[in-house]
Amino acid sequence: MSKINEITRESWILSTFPEWGTWLNEEIENEVVPEGNVAMWWLGCVGVWIKTPGGANICMDLWCGRGKSTKKVKDMVRGHQMANMAGVRKLQPNLRAQPMVLDPFSINEVDFILASHYHSDHIDVNVAAAIVNNPALEHVKFVGPWHCAELWKQWGVPEDRIIIVKPGDVVKLKDVEIHALDSFDRTCLVTLPVEGAEKQGGELLGLCPSDEEMGRKTVNYVFKTPGGNIYHGADSHYSIQFAKHGKEFDIDVALNNYGENPVGIADKMTSVDLLRMAECLRCKVIIPVHYDIWTNFMASTDEILHLWRLRKDRLQYQFHPFIWEVGGKYVYPQDKDLLEYHHPRGFDDCFEHEPNIQFKSML
């Protein structure tokens, strides 16, 4: 046992973070995915790990950083999406609300590191370092749109390990096909760099965005797996174009951001948006993510469940929500009928051994 004079701030940090240690790393490695299924783990924010029966391991949008950590900085950085969106200057109080459930430096088996876009809570220099500096992971590719590739290259990821995707591209991995699709992340469009803004001193007024610019900044993904097709909309806003994607792909499970937008901000999908998205995609299960991570955008998932129950019979919904927990596993179609997740509660071996108590009615 350590004595207090041996404990330092550094020893405390190393013994405490990441809060889950390698628990989830080990669970993912040891998981044998049943034939005809696909396993997913929620990593926080919109991050997910996808594993298939054929041994494909895909890690998307894993973010291992933190939000605001001091009140000494008073204003936002110029060009920040929220500053551009609403003309705000005061620093937003976005503190990280979830623990880090995966240790990037203890990843031993992975094939692709995916990013949906270049916002800092979706692409992580620490993850890049953990993968690139591990000789056992020299085969791993970094997959994402052009702006993500530029970031990875600036960080030191070798160019030959980067796969740039744009809407319409398909990348194959073992028993998975990954389709890059149009994103509807309009917040990304007002985040610098923006084409033409440099000539105007960073001012966006009068500039016309294009589908091509959006595709260089951000993409949605469809993962075609042996267990079903997974649609990940990342930070997309609601768009009627979801209906187009729903006709192009037979979607089983869809994930998308959800949250309670502060006054003056339109960044996250609302409960109504999420149900409309699911209806458009014609998916079987809709899973909200991202509401967990920022203290100033947190929202109740009860709202989604209540609204779904209110509307499902009248509108004849063919889908249902699934309310997840960060670090939790979801296997499709094995878990297809679940509405809410609970972490394993343990103690399933109760009374397999004789209790060590004074008398039977003690408890």
Side-chain angles (χ1 to χ4, degrees), residues 160-231:
D160 63 358
R161 297 184 63 174
I162 299 173
I163 299 175
I164 299 175
V165 292
K166 63 183 183 304
D169 288 346
V170 181
V171 181
K172 296 184 179 181
L173 168 68
K174 297 177 181 176
D175 54 350
V176 180
E177 274 188 9
I178 304 171
H179 294 248
L181 307 179
D182 286 311
S183 168
F184 314 117
D185 182 0
R186 293 183 284 275
T187 298
C188 214
L189 282 179
V190 298
T191 306
L192 294 178
V194 170
E195 291 179 15
E198 191 173 348
K199 294 179 181 179
Q200 301 184 172
E203 296 299 316
L204 307 188
L205 187 64
L207 297 177
C208 183
S210 66
D211 292 334
E212 290 73 26
E213 183 177 7
M214 179 76 99
R216 285 189 287 273
K217 288 189 161 204
T218 175
V219 294
N220 292 354
Y221 290 107
V222 165
F223 303 89
K224 287 189 171 182
T225 80
N229 297 333
I230 304 163
Y231 184 101

Side-chain angles (χ1 to χ4, degrees), residues 233-234 236-239 242 254-259 268-283 285-291 300-301 303-305 307-308 311 317 319-323:
S236 284
H237 296 78
Y238 177 75
S239 170
F242 283 129
L255 301 92
N256 206 78
N257 75 86
Y258 165 63
K268 299 291 182 285
M269 293 261 273
T270 67
S271 54
V272 175
D273 294 331
L274 206 68
L275 296 183
R276 292 178 70 201
M277 171 191 179
E279 187 178 24
C280 285
L281 290 175
R282 302 196 289 190
C283 63
V285 180
I286 181 71
I287 304 178
V289 290
H290 212 323
Y291 63 90
S300 172
T301 51
E303 184 180 324
I304 297 170
L305 289 170
L307 191 60
W308 173 74
R311 300 167 66 133
Y317 282 161
F319 67 90
H320 66 80
F322 173 64
I323 307 304

Side-chain angles (χ1 to χ4, degrees), residues 59-241:
C59 181
M60 174 181 165
D61 280 16
L62 173 59
W63 173 59
C64 300
R66 64 181 181 181
K68 297 301 181 289
S69 58
T70 177
K71 290 190 173 186
K72 295 176 183 177
V73 178
K74 301 300 181 184
D75 295 325
M76 284 189 180
V77 176
R78 177 174 169 77
H80 187 280
Q81 56 268 29
M82 305 305 178
N84 286 346
M85 180 187 298
V88 295
R89 295 294 178 266
K90 291 171 62 177
L91 201 66
Q92 66 163 321
N94 59 325
L95 303 169
R96 182 172 179 136
Q98 280 290 343
M100 297 178 198
V101 296
L102 195 79
D103 182 348
F105 289 89
S106 295
I107 294 175
N108 297 314
E109 297 175 6
V110 69
D111 297 294
F112 281 176
I113 299 294
L114 260 70
S116 60
H117 63 291
Y118 64 100
H119 283 162
S120 58
D121 53 345
H122 297 262
I123 186 169
D124 195 311
V125 67
N126 302 291
V127 175
I131 300 302
V132 170
N133 295 329
N134 186 340
L137 299 177
E138 291 181 347
H139 64 285
V140 177
K141 301 294 186 183
F142 293 75
V143 183
W146 184 86
H147 274 274
C148 292
E150 289 300 295
L151 259 186
W152 281 323
K153 284 189 283 186
Q154 290 171 27
W155 292 342
V157 176
E159 196 164 347
D160 63 358
R161 297 184 63 174
I162 299 173
I163 299 175
I164 299 175
V165 292
K166 63 183 183 304
D169 288 346
V170 181
V171 181
K172 296 184 179 181
L173 168 68
K174 297 177 181 176
D175 54 350
V176 180
E177 274 188 9
I178 304 171
H179 294 248
L181 307 179
D182 286 311
S183 168
F184 314 117
D185 182 0
R186 293 183 284 275
T187 298
C188 214
L189 282 179
V190 298
T191 306
L192 294 178
V194 170
E195 291 179 15
E198 191 173 348
K199 294 179 181 179
Q200 301 184 172
E203 296 299 316
L204 307 188
L205 187 64
L207 297 177
C208 183
S210 66
D211 292 334
E212 290 73 26
E213 183 177 7
M214 179 76 99
R216 285 189 287 273
K217 288 189 161 204
T218 175
V219 294
N220 292 354
Y221 290 107
V222 165
F223 303 89
K224 287 189 171 182
T225 80
N229 297 333
I230 304 163
Y231 184 101
H232 203 314
D235 275 5
S236 284
H237 296 78
Y238 177 75
S239 170
I240 61 172
Q241 291 289 319

Side-chain angles (χ1 to χ4, degrees), residues 323-335:
I323 307 304
W324 219 349
E325 294 284 348
V326 174
K329 179 177 70 174
Y330 182 69
V331 179
Y332 191 87
Q334 177 180 293
D335 299 331

